[in-house]
Amino acid sequence: MEKKELMYEGKAKKVWTTEDPEVVIVDYKDDATAFNGEKKGTIVGKGAINNRMTNHVFKMIEKAGVPTHLVEELSDRETAVKRVSIVPLEVIVRNVAAGSFSKRMGVAEGTALLCPILEFSYKNDDLGDPFINDSYALALGLATQEEIDTIKEYTLKVNEILKEYFLNAGMKLIDFKIEFGKDKDGKILLADEVSPDTCRLWDVETNEKLDKDRFRRDLGNVEEAYNEVFKRLGLA
Ligand code: TMP
Ligand code: ASP
């Protein structure tokens, strides 16, 4: 399968058309941004790690009954996926307080939550991905009630799978963000990626941060953290 035309370039990936109108190729970059693109940098080797890790995780998730857009990995940075229209919701799950939740709620990072929190942001860079709820999503036509119900069910299942997966590799899944798409028949599929860009992962013993917060917060050893996750998952 060959790349034809550049369809879209995002902050971390390019998307190319192919000869099959139902399939596109995702091409992972080493570019990293934070704070809605204000902070820019490169994380050497990130594209290949995020590509491989996402595909591995998506296969596992698919087996557990949550459909994904994955078709096949083409190279270390490129993957063929089903063409979908992305539901403009960033779906976030929090198991432990951190990041914007800690700031907004005045709860110290690392505080355990009594149950997982599922939250939505409106995926809109111009607005800085504002926090919204189901009513906003319905009223703005971002998704139907049925789609929201499916997305929530899939997301909580993904959380259970990922928590166990990372814990078995010595990491706590603090929180993560996923995105869903709709295929040509309107079927909801897990899309985008699951990687250290989109998950907070802390070492289970020391709470060392092994994710993109090392880049966001200038903590150093950014590449080392991505490589460590990759290695612990047995993917290196
Ligand atoms: P937050 O605490 O900054 O809201 O982030 C929650 C989770 O979502 C965290 O695991 C990082 C991830 N995330 C993204 O994947 N993309 C983003 O643009 C942001 C802001 C967070
Ligand atoms: N999505 C953020 C950005 O817009 C990156 C992040 O914080 O993960 O640059």
Side-chain angles (χ1 to χ4, degrees):
M1 186 162 294
E2 305 244 315
K3 293 190 280 201
K4 271 176 77 181
E5 272 170 46
L6 183 63
M7 202 174 100
Y8 167 82
E9 178 159 6
K11 288 182 287 230
K13 299 184 223 63
K14 292 179 187 169
V15 181
W16 302 82
T17 59
T18 68
E19 60 276 11
D20 183 341
E22 305 304 333
V23 176
V24 296
I25 293 175
V26 179
D27 185 357
Y28 287 74
K29 306 191 282 188
D30 283 354
D31 299 354
T33 65
F35 315 116
N36 204 15
E38 259 174 60
K39 181 184 173 91
K40 288 191 174 69
T42 303
I43 302 175
V44 176
K46 170 172 92 78
I49 288 176
N50 290 3
N51 180 43
R52 290 256 147 93
M53 179 168 160
T54 296
N55 293 341
H56 184 79
V57 165
F58 275 26
K59 278 182 207 157
M60 202 169 64
I61 287 172
E62 189 104 40
K63 270 195 202 132
V66 174
T68 78
H69 72 165
L70 177 64
V71 176
E72 69 170 321
E73 189 169 286
L74 300 173
S75 72
D76 64 341
R77 285 172 189 273
E78 297 162 315
T79 295
V81 301
K82 285 177 199 151
R83 186 177 188 144
V84 293
S85 64
I86 292 289
V87 178
L89 296 173
E90 302 215 329
V91 186
I92 295 163
V93 175
R94 302 180 188 275
N95 296 306
V96 175
S100 67
F101 175 84
S102 287
K103 225 178 192 171
R104 190 176 337 107
M105 299 305 295
V107 176
E109 283 209 322
T111 307
L113 299 168
L114 300 179
C115 59
I117 292 174
L118 194 157
E119 108 193 8
F120 292 134
S121 290
Y122 175 33
K123 189 174 157 65
N124 183 317
D125 280 343
D126 293 340
L127 300 174
D129 300 336
F131 185 93
I132 61 164
N133 64 17
D134 300 34
S135 302
Y136 278 53
L138 285 171
L140 294 170
L142 307 181
T144 64
Q145 186 64 60
E146 199 188 346
E147 288 163 356
I148 291 173
D149 291 345
T150 303
I151 285 172
K152 284 184 175 176
E153 183 199 322
Y154 286 171
T155 299
L156 293 174
K157 201 159 179 184
V158 167
N159 185 42
E160 293 310 312
I161 298 165
L162 292 183
K163 265 198 298 190
E164 192 191 341
Y165 176 61
F166 288 119
L167 199 58
N168 284 333
M171 293 173 282
K172 282 190 271 192
L173 178 61
I174 303 301
D175 55 30
F176 64 95
K177 184 267 303 180
I178 50 179
E179 296 180 21
F180 291 89
K182 279 192 285 181
D183 71 8
K184 63 175 195 319
D185 305 316
K187 187 177 162 194
I188 296 284
L189 305 177
L190 180 65
D192 196 47
E193 65 180 281
V194 170
S195 73
D197 272 16
T198 60
C199 299
R200 284 196 173 95
L201 299 167
W202 294 3
D203 179 83
V204 77
E205 300 292 338
T206 65
N207 284 339
E208 186 190 0
K209 293 177 176 32
L210 296 170
D211 57 67
K212 195 177 168 189
D213 270 349
R214 301 207 72 84
F215 169 78
R216 295 189 188 99
R217 302 178 186 191
D218 294 321
L219 300 176
N221 294 331
V222 182
E223 277 92 358
E224 287 81 353
Y226 279 71
N227 280 310
E228 178 67 19
V229 171
F230 205 50
K231 197 177 83 189
R232 287 192 190 190
L233 296 174
L235 300 171

